[in-house]
Amino acid sequence: MTQDTIDQLIINSPYEEPRQHWRYDSNTLSFERVQERRRASYVVTASDPSDIVSGELIEIPLVNLIRERVGEWRQRGYPGISGVTRRLLDHWQDDKDSSGRRFFFAQIEAIETLIWLLEGPSSDRIGISISTDGGPFERWCAKMATGTGKTVVMAMLIAWQTLNKNAHPQDIRFSKNFLLVAPGLTVKKRLAVLDPKSPENYYDEFSIVPVLLRGQIQSARVVIHNWHKLAWETAPTRSRRKSVVRLPPISDTAYAREVLGGNSGFSNWIVINDEAHHAWRRKEGEKYKSRTDSGERVDTRWIEGLDRIHRTNEIRHCYDFSATPFDQSAKSIRESLFTWIVSDFGLNDAIESGLVKSPRVVIKDDGIPSTAGFRSKFYHLFGEDEVKDDLNRRVPADTPLPDLVKVAYDLLGSDWQETNESWREAGHNVPPVMITVANRTETAARIKYAFDHGQISIPELCEPENILHIDSNVLEKSETQELGGTQPAKKAEREAESLREQVNTIGQIDKPGEQVCNIISVAMLNEGWDAKTVTQILGLRAFTSQLLCEQVVGRGLRRTSYDVNPETGLFDPEYVNVFGIPFAFLPYESPVGPHPPPPPPKVAVFPDFDKEEFEILWPNVQRIERTLSPKLQLDYSTLEQLVLDASGTPSIVELAPTIDGHPDPSRVNEIASIDLARLAEQTRFQTLAMQAASTLYQSMSLKWRYSAADLVRQLFCILIEFVNSDSVQIVPQAYSDDTLRRKLVIKYNLTKVCNHIANAIKSRNSKSIELVFNPAKPIGSTSDMPSWFTGKKWLQADKCHINRCVYDSGFEAKVATKLMASAKVKAWVKNDHLGFEVGYMYRGIPRRYIPDFLVHLSTDDMLVIEVKGMMTDQDREKIKSLKGWCRDVTQDGRFGNWHCVVVEQMHELEDALESLVPS
């Protein structure tokens, strides 16, 4: 069904694969809400970049093929990956992520793809051919829109590689040597969070690594540079006159030693290029091009420098990250897309998933339409003749701005003023930010003069201390780090650093950029600039492509809040209002509407050392080893029934020819079928039992102290007895009564059968148990919790070592309040960022589970509380493992008595406290 306007822009969950998208129909000038994920693609415009009607949608076939393969691999449970990788994927996809914010699907899909390329079954990659830039090392690119969290994905990548290298030192696929290259000092400073040794590292802030493995990430060697560090061929020295002198070219070895420093003795490097569209290889016969269409400086020496590193230290893998991975040296957008893009979560997808602010462009006004047609003159302001001709002049700063530009500032400034007032009413003292992107330094100077002299009628935007005029030339000199020597140069260097510090701290409390609200820049701000307080953008330059529009608008897309609306399960929309940038995604979206909310306040959560009396300790159990009795038995009187659903086991599939990539069921005479029931007829129960016994043997042999043949024989007999017993129930009943169908369901659910029997055997036949602890920290403590910040709801925590209890639901808050008030409770803590985890198996995959609360009872017993709503099969496996963990730790005898309770209603908590601590 088509519609003239978009009534609900955010239509997908940020945590799930997009299921629908908006499609624009250029014939009817209307939108259609399509019930499928948008194909990976980009838009090429015929002439006018702002004309969406003439835009041509170009698919990216390689990405769409890889996306399909990775999705199938995900559904199959990630076959082929290492145990370490599985542990990380489970941790990243746990919907109770202890960082307080789940990872976006965009982030999960990007890291999944990079893992699949390295660890997925080789058969999955048949037909996948990734071309590269012609260099000596392979490049893989993750295309992620601004604001979708690619820095977090880089942290995931470093953790995945490092932890696997620690576990498998001889596996050359993995490394713990990382060279990160950025396009400038702004991005370089932002990437410091990827060094595990940084006090503000992402591994702690976003809980990238499970707490019990966090110490291992410290072995990563992380070197971070801006590309200018690679852009030299000789060793620089300084003469007595302080001038720079270049010596003859140095060897690759000396070059690598200069770039890698003390890590130059290591080989097998992982390179991560941030904003990788700046990193392009000069084509044969191509001349050096110092600037791109957007005015940004680029240099082929970035990649040429990596070539030198590769010759001496070997680059094992090179990962590119960019929102706009186009070769900026190419003649046309159509020719410039990186051919090694392997995953794509574009800006349209990010907008529809609510990961970024929605850019609202001005479409019409009550004046005379633009010379370009029906649109407002403010849509592409620079395209108006009266503006373009005027702003292209080299004139003094006191030259008046065109009248139309002044009107634009009054309109957009008024919108900023209303936003600012709403923020202050909400108690937020940091102002929203308006950005101007000018075409040249003379224009920027004229804009600055107009504000300084009150020619714009918004007083707050005219205050000198609120204006930041970014001199790109000064910043560029500081990027190269070649200032120095003479006194004036030192002064310029200090000015550049002061300017950069303001740019990097826009909107941050008690920082130099806190009160800046009016930014005037030439060309565009460096990628990586990360303020979340941008609410208005004015473009005063030519925009020759949608790519350039996306790059500039991207400066204002960071969200202020990541709280899900509990009624919709989606993010609420936030907006950035745009004048002068012909961004074509929403040509009919009105700029009128609610103002973006201020950034939510954040509070610190940390152990309060004045409350050490409430410290809680627990054993950091990695796994529990069991020695089995020589005679294995199942106790059918206590054995839980295994229910297998036949509806989840397909027995017949049909295949049809495809037309344009889609199956054509109309060609009935060509449809072939595969009937799995015929395979079941050929399979005896004894064969199934032998396959299952072999699988069980692999998981239980380490716990067996007797003959291996005897173990296999006993397992075989137990399996035959079990699958023929009433302890296996198949639904619907018709399948259970039909021997053939019963066999088929069991055959294709052997993993569930094996897991069920293994748990039953362990609990019934354990002769002794041994707790295996985390060697780095065998005993966990609330005092070890790292400080972290949150914008979520919280309670002041009494009788708790942690200063605050951050809760996920009102019911959790009630549980916490009850624990604080109960005389039966000596101390308690919400299990958040603590690292208390319990291992369990689900669908044959080892996983980790994070219970909700730890309680120290007045009897000195320990109680683990899980707060639950509706229970799923996976939840039941978690609870079963938690009960077993408490039983085994209690049996060990060194850690007191441990109990657990599942609380779905408050009376269940009250009953548990009463039974464990009678009045």
Side-chain angles (χ1 to χ4, degrees):
M1 179 177 178
T2 61
Q3 52 194 77
D4 294 335
T5 59
I6 294 176
D7 53 354
Q8 180 185 348
L9 184 60
I10 299 175
I11 52 178
N12 292 309
S13 166
Y15 306 117
E16 298 174 2
E17 183 173 11
R19 298 175 182 174
Q20 50 189 331
H21 70 276
W22 289 108
R23 178 187 294 164
Y24 181 71
D25 188 332
S26 59
N27 295 317
T28 62
L29 303 182
S30 61
F31 294 94
E32 180 184 5
R33 189 162 166 172
V34 182
Q35 298 301 312
E36 62 182 28
R37 183 178 181 180
R38 174 184 284 103
R39 304 277 289 175
S41 57
Y42 64 103
V43 174
V44 173
T45 51
S47 53
D48 178 6
S50 66
D51 185 2
I52 193 172
V53 176
S54 64
E56 180 183 359
L57 192 68
I58 309 295
E59 284 201 8
I60 312 176
L62 177 63
V63 173
N64 287 317
L65 179 58
I66 291 178
R67 180 186 288 176
E68 180 181 341
R69 300 275 181 90
V70 171
E72 294 170 352
W73 179 64
R74 182 191 306 126
Q75 291 296 320
R76 301 201 314 269
Y78 307 113
I81 62 175
S82 71
V84 170
T85 302
R86 188 172 299 283
R87 176 80 184 276
L88 288 172
L89 284 170
D90 285 347
H91 176 71
W92 294 333
Q93 295 179 82
D94 191 336
D95 61 7
K96 289 178 60 178
D97 168 47
S98 61
S99 69
R101 198 182 94 187
R102 293 166 58 186
F103 296 108
F104 301 141
F105 174 80
Q107 296 168 325
I108 295 296
E109 183 179 55
I111 192 64
E112 280 179 338
T113 302
L114 300 180
I115 291 172
W116 176 79
L117 288 168
L118 215 59
E119 293 193 64
S122 58
S123 58
D124 283 5
R125 297 193 295 276
I126 294 175
I128 301 291
S129 177
I130 305 172
S131 59
T132 185
D133 65 351
F137 52 85
E138 190 171 38
R139 297 172 69 179
W140 292 336
C141 177
K143 180 175 178 287
M144 299 182 68
T146 298
T148 53
K150 58 186 172 66
T151 307
V152 170
V153 178
M154 295 178 201
M156 292 171 153
L157 179 110
I158 291 172
W160 161 58
Q161 281 280 329
T162 300
L163 268 59
N164 269 290
K165 191 63 175 179
N166 287 340
H168 312 286
Q170 304 306 315
D171 194 329
I172 62 173
R173 295 177 301 172
F174 303 112
S175 176
K176 50 186 176 182
N177 306 320
F178 302 91
L179 173 61
L180 279 59
V181 189
L185 293 179
T186 298
V187 183
K188 177 188 173 184
K189 185 172 183 178
R190 176 171 58 83
L191 294 183
V193 297
L194 298 178
D195 185 347
K197 299 175 180 61
S198 168
E200 298 178 347
N201 72 80
Y202 269 15
Y203 310 97
D204 292 335
E205 181 178 348
F206 286 91
S207 187
I208 299 294
V209 179
V211 173
L212 296 182
L213 298 178
R214 198 159 292 169
Q216 294 189 28
I217 196 66
Q218 296 297 323
S219 64
R221 303 180 186 94
V222 178
V223 179
I224 307 174
H225 291 307
N226 56 323
W227 72 264
H228 306 78
K229 182 74 173 179
L230 306 176
W232 58 279
E233 296 293 330
T234 63
T237 62
R238 297 190 183 276
S239 70
R240 294 180 181 178
R241 296 179 182 177
K242 307 292 186 182
S243 59
V244 176
V245 177
R246 290 288 185 183
L247 297 179
I250 63 173
S251 67
D252 289 342
T253 301
Y255 177 90
R257 188 162 53 244
E258 175 69 22
V259 173
L260 302 178
N263 297 297
S264 60
F266 298 100
S267 60
N268 196 25
W269 283 79
I270 303 293
V271 170
I272 299 176
N273 293 321
D274 195 8
E275 309 296 354
H277 53 275
H278 292 286
W280 45 273
R281 186 178 298 282
R282 196 182 314 185
K283 299 175 178 62
E284 185 175 354
E286 183 180 62
K287 295 181 179 180
Y288 168 70
K289 181 179 180 181
S290 63
R291 296 197 179 268
T292 68
D293 178 58
S294 65
E296 289 295 289
R297 175 154 183 193
V298 296
D299 201 321
T300 57
R301 288 174 290 181
W302 181 330
I303 291 298
E304 290 163 4
L306 293 179
D307 287 346
R308 300 190 73 179
I309 297 293
H310 179 67
R311 288 197 289 266
T312 58
N313 293 70
E314 188 183 6
I315 295 175
R316 176 62 58 181
H317 304 290
C318 179
Y319 298 100
D320 292 341
F321 289 86
S322 173
T324 53
F326 291 79
D327 184 341
Q328 301 187 47
S329 68
K331 294 181 180 179
S332 71
I333 294 295
R334 186 185 297 273
E335 299 171 356
S336 67
L337 186 74
F338 282 8
T339 58
W340 52 95
I341 300 174
V342 295
S343 70
D344 176 22
F345 203 91
L347 182 55
N348 291 343
D349 302 306
I351 291 173
E352 290 167 342
S353 297
L355 301 183
V356 297
K357 292 175 182 171
S358 304
R360 296 192 292 195
V361 295
V362 58
I363 298 304
K364 59 185 178 181
D365 55 56
D366 58 359
I368 299 174
S370 163
T371 55
F374 63 89
R375 296 191 179 93
S376 164
K377 289 177 179 289
F378 302 114
Y379 182 60
H380 190 187
L381 190 58
F382 192 82
E384 299 300 310
D385 292 340
E386 62 186 285
V387 175
K388 182 178 181 179
D389 294 342
D390 190 313
L391 297 187
N392 268 331
R393 298 182 297 158
R394 292 186 176 180
V395 293
D398 60 357
T399 304
L401 293 170
D403 290 338
L404 195 58
V405 172
K406 291 181 181 178
V407 174
Y409 270 122
D410 283 348
L411 288 170
L412 203 57
S414 178
D415 182 69
W416 175 91
Q417 195 172 48
E418 291 182 17
T419 304
N420 187 43
E421 290 172 359
S422 69
W423 283 25
R424 293 199 178 279
E425 289 174 2
H428 193 71
N429 295 323
V430 174
V433 173
M434 182 172 72
I435 300 176
T436 300
V437 181
N439 63 323
R440 58 193 307 147
T441 56
E442 291 85 358
T443 302
R446 293 168 67 184
I447 295 168
K448 177 69 162 53
Y449 184 90
F451 277 106
D452 285 343
H453 293 80
Q455 296 176 7
I456 309 299
S457 57
I458 310 297
E460 298 96 324
L461 293 174
C462 296
E463 295 292 336
E465 62 272 18
N466 294 345
I467 302 174
L468 182 60
H469 179 197
I470 298 179
D471 189 329
S472 301
N473 292 327
V474 172
L475 284 181
E476 190 168 292
K477 288 178 182 178
S478 74
E479 299 284 356
T480 62
Q481 299 177 335
E482 291 183 353
L483 291 171
T486 64
Q487 200 64 30
K490 287 184 178 179
K491 180 181 179 182
E493 191 171 6
R494 288 194 298 271
E495 290 176 353
E497 184 54 36
S498 175
L499 177 59
R500 184 170 300 286
E501 185 62 19
Q502 276 192 292
V503 170
N504 290 340
T505 59
I506 300 296
Q508 298 182 24
I509 297 175
D510 296 330
K511 296 293 180 66
E514 177 187 15
Q515 291 301 315
V516 171
C517 57
N518 186 357
I519 297 177
I520 304 165
S521 173
V522 181
M524 60 181 290
L525 297 175
N526 287 337
E527 284 93 346
W529 188 69
D530 202 25
K532 298 179 179 179
T533 51
V534 176
T535 53
Q536 287 81 20
I537 303 177
L538 176 60
L540 290 175
R541 57 150 298 154
F543 289 92
T544 56
S545 69
Q546 280 299 304
L547 169 62
L548 180 55
C549 293
E550 181 174 335
Q551 287 177 328
V552 178
V553 169
R555 301 309 99 211
L557 294 182
R558 306 282 177 179
R559 288 185 65 94
T560 63
S561 172
Y562 292 92
D563 294 330
V564 171
N565 185 318
E567 296 181 2
T568 65
L570 308 175
F571 286 154
D572 287 328
E574 296 183 11
Y575 300 99
V576 57
N577 291 342
V578 178
F579 276 30
I581 303 173
F583 186 66
F585 176 69
L586 297 175
Y588 297 101
E589 181 78 9
S590 167
V592 178
H595 295 289
K602 298 238 175 166
V603 297
V605 184
F606 54 85
D608 187 341
F609 294 103
D610 291 333
K611 300 195 295 180
E612 288 185 338
E613 61 186 294
F614 302 119
E615 179 185 22
I616 288 181
L617 305 174
W618 64 90
N620 261 341
V621 180
Q622 280 191 327
R623 65 183 184 277
I624 299 174
E625 297 284 6
R626 303 173 186 275
T627 301
L628 298 176
S629 301
K631 178 65 175 177
L632 303 181
Q633 295 177 333
L634 289 185
D635 185 353
Y636 284 94
S637 64
T638 60
L639 183 63
E640 291 187 36
Q641 193 173 57
L642 175 64
V643 179
L644 301 177
D645 187 353
S647 64
T649 307
S651 58
I652 298 177
V653 296
E654 293 184 342
L655 297 86
T658 60
I659 299 177
D660 293 332
H662 301 284
D664 181 15
S666 64
R667 295 161 66 177
V668 179
N669 61 321
E670 298 180 51
I671 292 179
S673 65
I674 301 175
D675 188 350
L676 295 181
R678 286 180 293 182
L679 299 179
E681 291 177 354
Q682 303 167 15
T683 305
R684 299 169 60 238
F685 261 129
Q686 285 79 357
T687 304
L688 294 179
M690 184 56 71
Q691 293 173 356
S694 177
T695 301
L696 275 175
Y697 174 80
Q698 297 297 324
S699 66
M700 303 182 71
S701 58
L702 293 178
K703 309 168 186 65
W704 185 254
R705 301 291 182 265
Y706 313 100
S707 164
D710 186 45
L711 174 59
V712 173
R713 180 188 60 78
Q714 291 195 58
L715 292 175
F716 174 79
C717 293
I718 288 173
L719 281 160
I720 288 289
E721 181 183 17
F722 176 75
V723 298
N724 287 304
S725 72
D726 294 335
S727 294
V728 179
Q729 180 186 357
I730 297 175
V731 293
Q733 188 62 37
Y735 273 73
S736 189
D737 295 338
D738 186 312
T739 303
L740 184 60
R741 290 181 171 182
R742 179 182 176 86
K743 188 193 304 182
L744 182 68
V745 173
I746 291 174
K747 175 181 176 63
Y748 290 102
N749 286 276
L750 273 185
T751 299
K752 291 182 181 179
V753 172
C754 289
N755 289 342
H756 192 82
I757 292 178
N759 291 331
I761 290 175
K762 291 173 188 176
S763 61
R764 175 69 174 82
N765 299 274
S766 292
K767 187 176 180 182
S768 63
I769 64 169
E770 178 185 356
L771 306 184
V772 179
F773 302 100
N774 182 300
K777 184 167 285 297
I779 303 298
S781 169
T782 49
S783 63
D784 296 329
M785 187 195 79
S787 298
W788 52 287
F789 292 84
T790 183
K792 296 173 66 175
K793 295 180 180 179
W794 54 272
L795 295 170
Q796 200 70 43
D798 298 329
K799 292 200 298 188
C800 180
H801 193 189
I802 307 303
N803 65 326
R804 294 179 173 92
C805 170
V806 180
Y807 57 89
D808 298 312
S809 66
F811 189 63
E812 278 192 354
K814 289 182 179 180
V815 170
T817 302
K818 176 65 177 178
L819 295 175
M820 283 188 274
S822 176
K824 302 176 187 294
V825 174
K826 185 179 290 187
W828 67 279
V829 68
K830 175 79 186 303
N831 184 27
D832 199 346
H833 283 73
L834 293 179
F836 175 63
E837 300 177 331
V838 174
Y840 74 104
M841 294 284 291
Y842 183 64
R843 294 180 176 173
I845 300 172
R847 304 171 188 266
R848 307 297 291 182
Y849 154 54
I850 304 174
D852 289 311
F853 292 91
L854 287 174
V855 182
H856 185 184
L857 299 172
S858 59
T859 59
D860 282 337
D861 283 5
M862 296 296 299
L863 175 64
V864 184
I865 299 175
E866 174 63 22
V867 177
K868 270 294 169 204
M870 183 179 297
M871 292 279 284
T872 65
D873 287 342
Q874 187 169 1
D875 291 328
R876 281 184 273 274
E877 290 300 321
K878 291 178 181 179
I879 300 307
K880 188 186 302 182
S881 295
L882 176 59
K883 290 178 179 178
W885 188 95
C886 290
R887 180 188 63 243
D888 293 337
V889 170
T890 299
Q891 183 179 331
D892 180 88
R894 289 176 288 175
F895 306 101
N897 298 319
W898 285 73
H899 314 272
C900 64
V901 62
V902 178
V903 176
E904 299 179 65
Q905 299 181 30
M906 282 303 297
H907 73 82
E908 293 169 320
L909 175 58
E910 295 166 355
D911 293 346
L913 292 175
E914 181 62 32
S915 65
L916 294 172
V917 189
S919 301

